[in-house]
């Protein structure tokens, strides 16, 4: 297996010592992870089946596929790594799986089935976090041997980074699908909702880019 989980960013670091003594550290880490989980799933809302599956980049990035990928990745990192495997088979995450099969949903895999799976993964992961101390040791079999020994705290940080990374991908894909934007439900974190404001902003950036490009050629 490659150093990264199939389709996953590569982790680093080999020490397993506690990184913090904050008694609320678990709660803080889970809050950041949960906010990323919810932001990712939120990007599906209001779209039809085509919209959530539509590939919007040359490599096929799509909204439902991002949810499927993160579900499988989290099941591995907060399950297998600590000897607490997720109890359901995830054939698209095995070494024998077709390349990139974790990054899209087949017509037989419904929106509900993928999202419900992700919710069950959350519950399993949260149970792992509840059961173990942050300095509990795990083994990431798909990382380089020198970095395989990890702590629960390290893997929580890894999954926060992984999930927010893909939530950011979903931000861009959703905007390309129908123009909808926003950081998370209830907090768009955008300076304006006026189409005319954004068109003027876009035009200004396009002009600035052309000016800079021309200057570089002169």
């Amino acid at each position: 297996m490659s150093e990264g989980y199939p389709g996953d960013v590569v982790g680093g670091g080999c020490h397993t010592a506690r990184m913090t003594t904050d008694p609320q550290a678990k709660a803080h880490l889970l809050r950041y992870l949960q906010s990323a989980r919810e932001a990712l799933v939120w990007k599906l809302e209001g779209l039809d089946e085509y919209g959530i599956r539509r590939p919007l980049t040359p490599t096929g990035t799509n909204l439902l596929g991002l949810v499927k990928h993160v579900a499988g990745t989290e099941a591995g990192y907060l399950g297998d790594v600590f000897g607490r495997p997720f109890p359901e088979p995830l054939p698209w995450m095995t070494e024998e799986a077709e390349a990139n099969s974790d990054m899209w949903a087949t017509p037989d895999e419904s929106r509900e089935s993928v999202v419900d799976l992700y919710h069950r993964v959350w519950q399993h992961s949260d149970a792992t976090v509840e059961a173990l101390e942050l300095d509990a040791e795990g083994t990431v079999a798909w990382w380089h041997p020198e970095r395989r020994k990890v702590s629960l705290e390290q893997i929580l940080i890894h999954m926060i980074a992984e999930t927010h990374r893909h939530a950011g991908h979903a931000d861009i894909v959703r905007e390309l699908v129908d123009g909808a934007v926003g950081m998370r439900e209830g907090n768009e974190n955008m300076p304006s909702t006026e189409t005319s404001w954004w068109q003027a902003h876009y035009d200004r950036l396009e002009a600035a880019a052309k000016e800079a490009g021309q200057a570089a050629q002169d």
Side-chain angles (χ1 to χ4, degrees):
M1 184 174 288
S2 62
E3 185 173 354
Y5 210 58
D8 182 38
V9 294
V10 174
C14 58
H15 66 83
T16 58
R18 275 292 297 275
M19 302 176 196
T20 178
T21 58
D22 182 354
Q24 296 298 313
K26 272 190 186 181
H28 295 323
L29 291 167
L30 280 174
R31 179 167 58 85
Y32 279 105
L33 178 56
Q34 186 62 28
S35 70
R37 292 163 167 168
E38 292 174 357
L40 179 57
V41 172
W42 177 53
K43 291 298 174 178
L44 303 178
E45 291 190 12
L47 291 178
D48 61 15
E49 289 299 316
Y50 174 62
I52 63 173
R53 299 163 187 268
R54 181 182 173 191
L56 267 300
T57 70
T59 55
T61 306
N62 64 93
L63 292 168
L64 191 60
L66 287 169
V67 176
K68 180 180 175 181
H69 167 72
V70 175
T73 300
E74 183 175 317
Y77 277 111
L78 287 169
D80 296 332
V81 167
F82 297 97
R84 297 171 58 90
F86 185 67
E88 301 176 37
L90 302 177
W92 58 89
M93 300 303 290
T94 65
E95 289 184 346
E96 297 76 23
E98 178 186 343
N100 234 39
S101 58
D102 62 316
M103 296 296 295
W104 65 286
T106 68
D108 293 335
E109 294 173 321
S110 70
R111 175 202 315 245
E112 291 75 20
S113 69
V114 174
V115 172
D116 287 349
L117 168 66
Y118 192 24
H119 287 167
R120 294 193 298 277
V121 169
W122 298 0
Q123 295 171 359
H124 185 264
S125 299
D126 291 354
T128 294
V129 175
E130 178 65 25
L132 303 178
E133 297 297 327
L134 286 177
D135 58 359
E137 187 175 282
T139 302
V140 185
W142 51 92
W143 283 4
H144 190 280
E146 295 180 357
R147 295 196 290 270
R148 285 179 180 171
K149 295 300 181 183
V150 296
S151 70
L152 176 61
E153 184 170 25
Q154 180 185 350
I155 292 302
L156 275 169
I157 293 169
H158 181 85
M159 274 313 306
I160 290 167
E162 169 78 3
T163 310
H164 276 286
R165 174 175 181 259
H166 289 307
H169 293 156
D171 281 339
I172 302 301
V173 172
R174 178 62 190 261
E175 186 173 357
L176 292 172
V177 171
D178 68 351
V181 296
M183 183 170 67
R184 62 177 181 268
E185 187 173 15
N187 181 10
E188 291 187 347
N189 199 35
M190 303 295 288
S192 176
T193 59
E194 294 295 327
T195 302
S196 59
W197 188 94
W198 285 110
Q199 185 61 56
H201 180 65
Y202 177 93
D203 292 343
R204 182 183 183 190
L205 269 59
E206 177 68 13
K210 287 181 177 179
E211 181 180 341
Q214 185 60 50
Q217 294 175 13
D218 292 342

